[in-house]
Amino acid sequence: MLDYKGREWKEIPGYNKDYSISSEGIVNKLTKPTKHCPMGEMIKINSFKEKNGLDYVAIHKADGQQVFESVVKLYALAFIDNPNNVEVATF
């Protein structure tokens, strides 16, 4: 899916369809539908830089557990085909 700025957005697998990432590395969370917003709303997740120079975001797995994931890892999960199910390297 493309937004009005031409960025491609993909769902991040393994996070209960709650999060998506753009082709520019912006992470969004989809809120639950409400009376005023029946499709839910996309909210940008702020990232922070660690000592290793990578940007991280705090997100929740499907079981509700909060995890800190690198934006690079989330981008790889969403945008890079992985037909052999090779585990994504962690930093």
Side-chain angles (χ1 to χ4, degrees):
M1 168 175 72
L2 295 178
D3 66 10
Y4 70 96
K5 290 186 176 180
R7 295 178 290 212
E8 183 177 3
W9 289 87
K10 289 194 176 183
E11 180 183 298
I12 302 171
Y15 293 90
N16 204 30
K17 299 184 180 187
D18 288 338
Y19 297 93
S20 59
I21 188 166
S22 76
S23 53
E24 294 179 352
I26 300 167
V27 179
N28 279 345
K29 177 179 177 33
L30 178 63
T31 64
K32 302 289 184 223
T34 64
K35 178 181 175 182
H36 301 290
C37 192
M39 294 183 67
E41 183 179 3
M42 297 300 292
I43 298 177
K44 181 182 175 195
I45 304 295
N46 291 325
S47 62
F48 59 93
K49 195 170 292 288
E50 278 290 329
K51 292 177 186 175
N52 61 8
L54 295 175
D55 289 328
Y56 283 78
V57 290
I59 59 178
H60 292 87
K61 290 190 169 194
D63 64 4
Q65 176 188 6
Q66 184 181 31
V67 292
F68 297 97
E69 297 283 14
S70 72
V71 173
V72 171
K73 177 182 175 181
L74 297 175
Y75 185 92
L77 288 170
F79 282 94
I80 299 174
D81 289 334
N82 189 4
N84 297 325
N85 269 345
V86 177
E87 188 175 334
V88 176
T90 57
F91 299 92

